[in-house]
Structure formats: structure tokens, C-alpha cells
Amino acid sequence: MKLLFVNCCVSQRGANSRTRRLAEAYVTAFRASHAEAEIETVPPETLLALRPFDVEMLNERDALASVGAFDAPVFGLARQFRGADRIVVAAPFWDLSFPAALRTYIEHISANGLAYHYDENGCHGDCRADRLVYLTSGGDFEREDSVGVAYWRQLTAMFGIPRFDYVFAGGLDARPDTAEEILTASCALARRLAEEK
């Protein structure tokens, strides 16, 4: 069992990041209930250092993919994502979505021929994970059409991952008097998801 933790807890709050609290609740509970599991982390520093794909980079990646050279460094993050048994992604609710670094990461893992492929019936995911959990927190309230949640739900399906769950600790700035209560309840939900076999 390998858990991949995509840590995009980029916050001016530093160690007091509210999304980081959600992530720590999840990862700690996962480690306690899956003692045999290996946990790999993609840290914020890695995400922030990624370069968005330009035309030249896309052409180079497509040329490598056309000859099946998926061991090339450009596919490193996609190989890691594809090979995980379970995935948890943590990112704050920024500008109705999530930090740009996470969007760039998505470009890097979305490798046609590795993470998914096309045939005459459309797109088919090739990732091994049985579920993906998305953790987020924000000052505004959760909405059904929150872009970050909807986007990761659709990505999960595209990658062929059969189950998607999320925790949205919302309204933390809108109602500061109940922020701690909301965050505590959200951490409890994150722990419950992590404990599932």
C-alpha cells in the first residue's frame, strides 16, 4: 500500500495553515491505521518549482510519449501518481479554486499514454489508486459548484480512480466565532476517511 500525499498547503499562516491541519489529521490517521503503508509526499517546494508547459516542452513530451519513453524525467511525477494505491491532495481554497502551483502539477501528471489513454470509445484512466481524497479550507462557505472540488472530482474520473471524497472546511473567515468548531469537525471527517481500508 502506497499513499501519495500531494502537499500544496501554501499559506501565509505557515505552521498554522488550516489546510495543513486537515492534511496532518488525514496523514496521521492513515499512518496509524495502515501501519504497513509507505507514504510518499510531494512537498510545496516541489510544486512551487514546477514550470508550466510551453509549446516546446509539450512537443518534447509528446515525442517521448510517441516512442514509449515514459522513463524520461519529464514523466516522473506522472509515474509516481499512476503508481500510488491511494492519493490525498491538500490545498487551500484560493480565488474560488486552488494555488496555481497545483494546476501546474496537474499539467505534469496528465500524461497521455501513462496516466490515461484514448481509444475509439474516448478517454480511459490508467492510474492504480482506488480512491482520491481532496482536502481544502477557506474563508468562504462551501458551495456545490466549488471549482476546486468539481475539478478534482472530474480529474479523479479521468485518471480511472473509482472513488472520490473531499473535505471542505469552509466559512472560516465568514464566521470566525465558529471557525475552530468547523475545523475540528472537518479534521474528524478527514481522519475517518483515512482510517477506511
Side-chain angles (χ1 to χ4, degrees):
M1 166 72 79
K2 181 183 293 184
L3 172 70
L4 178 62
F5 170 32
V6 182
N7 179 0
C8 192
C9 297
V10 179
S11 174
Q12 292 168 302
R13 294 181 174 85
N16 295 318
S17 161
R18 300 175 301 195
T19 308
R20 182 173 171 178
R21 275 185 61 184
L22 288 176
E24 288 175 348
Y26 184 96
V27 171
T28 300
F30 184 89
R31 186 176 284 115
S33 57
H34 300 78
E36 79 293 349
E38 175 186 355
I39 299 176
E40 289 186 1
T41 301
V42 181
E45 296 78 16
T46 296
L47 298 174
L48 290 165
L50 291 175
R51 179 181 166 193
F53 279 88
D54 58 23
V55 172
E56 182 180 352
M57 292 168 65
L58 287 170
N59 287 338
E60 289 176 359
R61 184 172 72 169
D62 287 350
L64 290 166
S66 71
V67 295
F70 292 113
D71 58 343
V74 69
F75 296 111
L77 291 172
R79 287 195 307 271
Q80 182 187 47
F81 189 89
R82 174 185 170 157
D85 297 299
R86 195 163 296 177
I87 300 164
V88 59
V89 179
F93 184 62
W94 275 15
D95 306 324
L96 303 181
S97 180
F98 43 71
L102 188 57
R103 177 63 186 86
T104 305
Y105 173 76
I106 292 166
E107 288 185 8
H108 282 261
I109 62 174
S110 297
N112 185 10
L114 184 62
Y116 60 90
H117 70 278
Y118 289 99
D119 64 18
E120 64 276 7
N121 297 312
C123 181
H124 304 275
D126 295 312
C127 292
R128 190 168 74 189
D130 63 355
R131 70 184 68 173
L132 184 146
V133 177
Y134 180 60
L135 307 173
T136 190
S137 69
D140 200 359
F141 296 104
E142 174 186 351
R143 290 170 171 75
E144 287 186 12
D145 59 349
S146 294
V147 174
V149 173
Y151 191 21
W152 275 102
R153 180 183 286 113
Q154 292 175 42
L155 285 169
T156 299
M158 183 185 82
F159 291 130
I161 300 170
R163 177 173 168 181
F164 173 77
D165 293 292
Y166 76 95
V167 178
F168 193 136
L172 301 180
D173 296 331
R175 293 184 179 165
D177 54 322
T178 60
E180 184 59 34
E181 179 183 343
I182 292 168
L183 193 53
T184 297
S186 297
C187 286
L189 175 56
R191 282 191 291 271
R192 287 197 297 273
L193 291 172
E195 290 165 355
E196 294 179 1
K197 299 296 186 181

